[in-house]
Each structure stands twice: as structure tokens, then as C-alpha cells.
Amino acid sequence: MEKTSTDAEVSKNFIEKIIEKDLENNVISNGIVTRFPPEPNGYLHIGHAKAISINFSVAKKYEGVCHLRFDDTNPAKEELAYMEAIKKDISWLGFKWEPHEYFASDYFSAIYDIAVELIKQGKAYVDTLTPEQVREYRGTLTQPGKNSPDRDRPIEENLELFEEMRNGQHADGTMVLRAKIDMSSPNLNMRDPTLFRIKKIDHHRTGDTWSIYPMYDFTHPISDAIEGITHSLCSLEFEDHRPLYDWVVENSGLQATPHQYEFARLNLTYTVMSKRLLLQLVKEEHVSGWDDPRMPTLSAMRRRGFSPEAILDFTEKIGVARANSLVDYALLEHCVREDLNTTALRIMAVLDPLKVIIDNYPQDSEEWFEAENNPENPAAGTRKIPFSKVIYIEKDDFMENPPKKYFRLSPGKEIRLKHAYYITCTGIIKDGDQITEIHCNYDPESRGGSTPDGRKVKGTSHWVSASHSIDCEVRLYDRLFTAEIPGSRTGNFLDDINHNSIKVLKECKAESLIRELASDQHVQFLRTGYFCIDEKDSTPEFPVFNRTIPLRDSWEKLKKKMGI
RNA sequence: UGGGGUGUAGUCAAGUGGUUAAGACAUCGGUUUUUGGUGCCGACAUGCGUAGGUUCGAAUCCUACCGCCCCAGCCA
């Protein structure tokens, strides 16, 4: 059999290979179980979409399930409100986790019990070293650490002290529970890692029940084991934690043996992905909020008009591997265009209007043309659009002194008005240097956009009837940063911010159909780009559109090449 | 100078001893077109971090070297 890879033959990523091997070796008893474990301390971004997609998709592919588990072990940083936003984003992407919605905080008492058991087995101890001392005792990357004086505290005393920690009898930072592993391990995570710390603050779910909270490294493997997670997928920076993960699983007394596998997180050109930097953009008002359409958050992308299908397609196209990578933003753009091309309703809108008077068209007449709603999908049907004596076209679609290869309207030249007539420019009215309106004649023979003589017309413009059109606002967005890796030159990502990343046009004219658009309807303004209604600022009286992404523009490229 | 990873095109990424080194994005040509969009056709690694070695045969195995990433939170 030859290796003619048909479309069904897609290469498997390393995680799928591991799973298939596990399945083959019969080491999985109850099916594949994965989990997406967000910490509810911020908004999800496109990088999370990769993790979400991997976890949910792999579970689905192997007929398993994917749990949603909030990793809420640090009440100092987390907020309830984020949970709803996170759930909304995951649902929006199209993934379902019910009834498997969990919280690490649900396991607090189980985790506590395991800690007590570890103490009893002499595998954990209460340490009263100060945070500074703990750091000193830990050693460095090249030097081993040394044992804490508290390391050999009698078990009974540890039990008592831990109980006191739990009861809130000690202040924050005065003591911690540590695992007794190996202070000379070359892996710093194994140098007696902290298991529990004192935090006398309320937790958004458990209230004041606890004054101690478990660390991630202790919580995560236990949570995975409790839930029967088979493959715990996380990003590369947790690689060094895997021995500790395994240590906890082994010593927890739990039956299940989940395993951790790491993959490279997503990096995208022209954007930042860290929660800290994203938060800074919001706080310092470089953007209007977490859902500013220029942000890489899922809520922003939704508002911008990116479809979940496009984002999911992107997460598949970038693959899953263990090498650090920087994905070209153009790939995301490609996925968005590819999806929207097949789904977006075509509409005519003039963003920068130039008035055109058709002199030989009767004063008070109007007629209606049929226009296709989507040439890629005849099933989308057609609609009627009105034509009259005075119309608007795009200012860019007219030039008084056109360069070579400009085949739009100019004096004496003929173009086609999409779906309507051919017009020829006969005159220009100016106010100083400004062209205020142009005059044209139309060819009645060209009705519908072609003539009996079959003559060729190079240019086709979109247009809108002046008296029938609706005013609206259009917001044009560009990438938020001008550098592939923001901050790579100066060390400060703000130095690479694109100060022209938003352009607001308030005098746009569009088909009246825009008033009837659903809030999640994607449209293509013909020859311009893909747009959607801005869910926050749009009103029926004055619709506001966000440009999702412009159409590819080979004329723009040509112009650059010709130096125009 | 400890430990753990990782290097295949401008960017992702398959490839696991014998293939012409997949595919996608980007780029560049051509073509179709009532969107300068879309579609279609073509070009794009004598080469797999480098140098040796093993082998009839190496991106794949071995050795050494080099680059890059992560780790010293009572964050996740």
C-alpha cells in the first residue's frame, strides 16, 4: 500500500500517540479523561484556546470526557466573576463539560487529610523558617540546599502544629507544611516543597472554613487522581514539576495514577499573552478593557467578530509539539478569512463616501436590483437593493489623475456598479482641492451589470443609494503592536504599541439591512472586509461595526510596489 | 558552572534506518472572476543546529560540540 495520504490521514500529535499506546496496552480502565484547569484570576485568551482545544478534542476523539476544573487554591488572587466569563468563553468555543464541573476547593478537606497522613508517615513536616530563611536553605541552581532545623520535628508535634495552622492559631507566613523529599535534589521542586501555607482570608467558595490553603503542586495531582484524570496535559514550564506530581500521586494513597504530559504553549507574533501584560494594557488604558477588540482574549475576539470555528481551526493548524514556537499572526488571519468567506452575508457599505450624481438617470425614479447574499453559498439566497440618481461610492474608488493599472473610476472612464449599471465619469465638482461630488452617465443597456455587446469593464465598485442608505459608524482595527515580539528591542513592550491600531469612521453609509442584523451575524462589506455589530456600543438608530479583518488587497500591494 | 527540555524552509509542523524530506501559513508567478475578494495552477529545504562516526544506505543510530527555552513563590 502506498503512502498516498488522503485527507483522512492526518498525522497524529505526540499526545495522541501516547494515548493510543496507553489504550493499546490496556492501562486505561475507564476511558480517557482530561481536564482544563483554569485559575479564575483573569480572562481566557487565544493561548488558552489552544489548551482547551487540545484537552477537549483529544477527549472527544478517544470517546472520553474532559472536565472543567477551576484551580481555585489561592483566594488572594481569584474572583468569582472570572468563573462566569471563563465558562462563557469555553461554551462559545463550542465545548461542553457538564456534568463535569469541579473546583479544586471541593477537595480541600481530602487534601488536608492526605497531608495529615503524610505527616503520620514522616513524609511531611511543619517548618517555622521564615520565607527568607526557606529561600536561603533551598540552595541555588548549582548548590544543594540544606535541611531545615524543623525537618526532624517529631510526628506528634507536626500533627499538633498543623492542626493549629488549620485552626488559625498562627499568623500568615509563620509556618508552612512541607514535604520531606530531598534538599539536595538537582530539581529545586523536590527540595522539600511547600504543601500548605497559612492565608487567613476568605475563599470565594469555602468562605472562612480554611485558614490554610494547599499549593498547586500538592493540589493538582490529588485533584487529578480524585477525578480519575488519565492524561493531565499542561504547558512546558511544568516539566520540572512532574517528579513532584508523581511523588504526590504515589504518596497520596489514592488509587488512580494520572500522568502529566507537557506541550509548548502558544506564542503569537504581534501580541502579548501574559496575564500580567494584558492586565497592564487594561489598567493603563492602552485599550478600553479586556474585551477591547484588539486584545487577544477570547471575549475580545468574539466582540471583534472572530468565529469560534476559525479559532478552533487555528488551534488545529498550529499543531501540538514540545518545541517553543512563535506562530505567525497571519495564520490566525487566514483561518478567520477562510471561515468568514463561506459564512458572511455580503452587504454594500461605503466607509468613506463620495457623492455621485448620475445625470442621465431620471430624477425621481428608483429601481431594485437583486444581489446575492453569498457567492460562495447560493443557498444563502438573494436580496433586493435600491438604486437611484444619487449614490455614494468609496473615495478610494475615484482618482482624477489615475496611475497605471488603476482601473477604478476616473474622468472619462467606465466602471461597473456591482449588481447595477455601468457608469462613465463626465465631470468633477471641487471645493478648492477637495472633490465634493462627481457626475456620471449610466448605460441603460448595462442593467444588472453586463451589456448585450459584452464589452469588458475592468473595475467594479460597491455603492449605496444616497436616499436609501443608513448612517453608521465603523471601527477599523489593526494589530496592537508593530513588532513581532513586543518589547524585544527595548525591553518594554509598550514601546512597540501601534498607535494607529484603531481608526473610527463615523460617516459611513450602508444598506438599510444593517438595522436588522443579529448581534452575532458576520457580514462582509463588499470589497472591504469582514465586520460585525459591536455588541456594546451599537444601537438600532446608529449601528456601530467592528472590522474583524480586511479582505486581502492586492491593489494595495501593487501600489506599494509601484511606489504610490 | 546543577537539573530538565528543545533545534527540519521566513513561520508552524510531519517524518522514528531505504519516501522525490508531507501538509499549512507567508512570499512570488500565472489563471478565472460582476468583490483588485474567492477559486484554480505553479514556484519555494541536493537539505534536517555543527562536526565526526556506524551503515550498502542516516533528518532518523552513536559521540562531541553549539544555540535557544524553563527552574532558586508561602503564584499557578
Side-chain angles (χ1 to χ4, degrees), chain A residues 400-417:
Chain A
E400 189 176 3
N401 300 300
K404 282 255 181 306
K405 294 192 178 166
Y406 182 86
F407 39 85
R408 303 180 187 180
L409 198 60
S410 52
K413 287 279 163 41
E414 182 176 55
I415 61 157
R416 168 172 36 238
L417 295 175

Side-chain angles (χ1 to χ4, degrees), chain A residues 266 268 310-318 327 331-332 335:
Chain A
L266 170 66
L268 245 195
I311 291 173
L312 259 18
D313 180 40
F314 172 72
T315 62
E316 274 165 33
K317 282 195 162 85
I318 56 176
V327 176
L331 179 59
L332 213 209
C335 294

Side-chain angles (χ1 to χ4, degrees), chain A residues 154-196:
Chain A
I155 289 173
E156 278 313 313
E157 212 176 304
N158 280 323
L159 252 15
E160 240 166 73
L161 245 21
F162 189 48
E163 175 88 32
E164 289 173 18
M165 279 171 64
R166 180 206 171 129
N167 294 338
Q169 296 172 44
H170 298 281
D172 288 18
T174 53
M175 52 184 71
V176 292
L177 182 73
R178 291 230 252 170
K180 194 186 287 186
I181 305 181
D182 178 8
M183 287 307 289
S184 64
S185 171
N187 181 344
L188 301 246
N189 294 115
M190 300 301 270
R191 320 243 262 228
D192 289 11
T194 301
L195 267 22
F196 267 94

Side-chain angles (χ1 to χ4, degrees), chain A residues 313-469:
Chain A
D313 180 40
F314 172 72
T315 62
E316 274 165 33
K317 282 195 162 85
I318 56 176
V320 182
R322 288 175 58 83
N324 289 312
S325 61
L326 177 64
V327 176
D328 194 339
Y329 191 82
L331 179 59
L332 213 209
E333 295 185 319
H334 164 80
C335 294
V336 172
R337 286 199 183 97
E338 190 177 50
D339 176 57
L340 260 25
N341 179 45
T342 62
T343 59
L345 169 67
R346 309 294 137 116
I347 287 185
M348 292 208 282
V350 177
L351 305 194
D352 192 9
L354 172 65
K355 186 182 276 185
V356 177
I357 295 155
I358 300 163
D359 293 319
N360 63 339
Y361 194 83
Q363 183 68 249
D364 297 315
S365 52
E366 66 170 40
E367 57 189 307
W368 294 75
F369 293 105
E370 187 151 50
E372 58 203 348
N373 287 330
N374 185 339
E376 306 298 319
N377 176 21
T382 60
R383 69 187 185 288
K384 296 284 192 182
I385 50 176
F387 183 81
S388 64
K389 186 181 181 74
V390 181
I391 63 170
Y392 294 110
I393 65 168
E394 214 71 64
K395 275 205 177 92
D396 277 354
D397 286 344
F398 179 82
M399 273 185 105
E400 189 176 3
N401 300 300
K404 282 255 181 306
K405 294 192 178 166
Y406 182 86
F407 39 85
R408 303 180 187 180
L409 198 60
S410 52
K413 287 279 163 41
E414 182 176 55
I415 61 157
R416 168 172 36 238
L417 295 175
K418 179 83 178 174
H419 301 306
Y421 288 113
Y422 291 0
I423 56 170
T424 302
C425 176
T426 54
I428 307 175
I429 309 288
K430 284 185 173 180
D431 178 9
D433 283 343
Q434 287 295 307
I435 298 170
T436 54
E437 59 180 57
I438 61 175
H439 286 255
C440 292
N441 280 331
Y442 84 110
D443 176 1
E445 293 274 278
S446 64
R447 210 193 125 88
S450 60
T451 52
D453 64 10
R455 72 177 182 273
K456 292 269 196 253
V457 179
K458 260 251 162 117
T460 300
S461 282
H462 57 280
W463 54 275
V464 102
S465 164
S467 57
H468 298 85
S469 65

Side-chain angles (χ1 to χ4, degrees), chain A residues 132-150:
Chain A
E132 294 70 35
Q133 289 172 315
V134 168
R135 199 181 315 127
E136 284 162 26
Y137 275 76
R138 182 153 36 226
T140 67
L141 293 177
T142 51
Q143 292 171 320
K146 47 184 190 190
N147 289 168
S148 164
D150 288 356

Side-chain angles (χ1 to χ4, degrees), chain A residues 200-221:
Chain A
K200 292 180 157 181
I201 52 175
D202 284 5
H203 184 281
H204 46 90
R205 296 193 82 247
T206 61
D208 61 1
T209 308
W210 299 90
S211 51
I212 56 173
Y213 294 94
M215 299 289 288
Y216 165 87
D217 281 321
F218 195 43
T219 308
H220 211 82

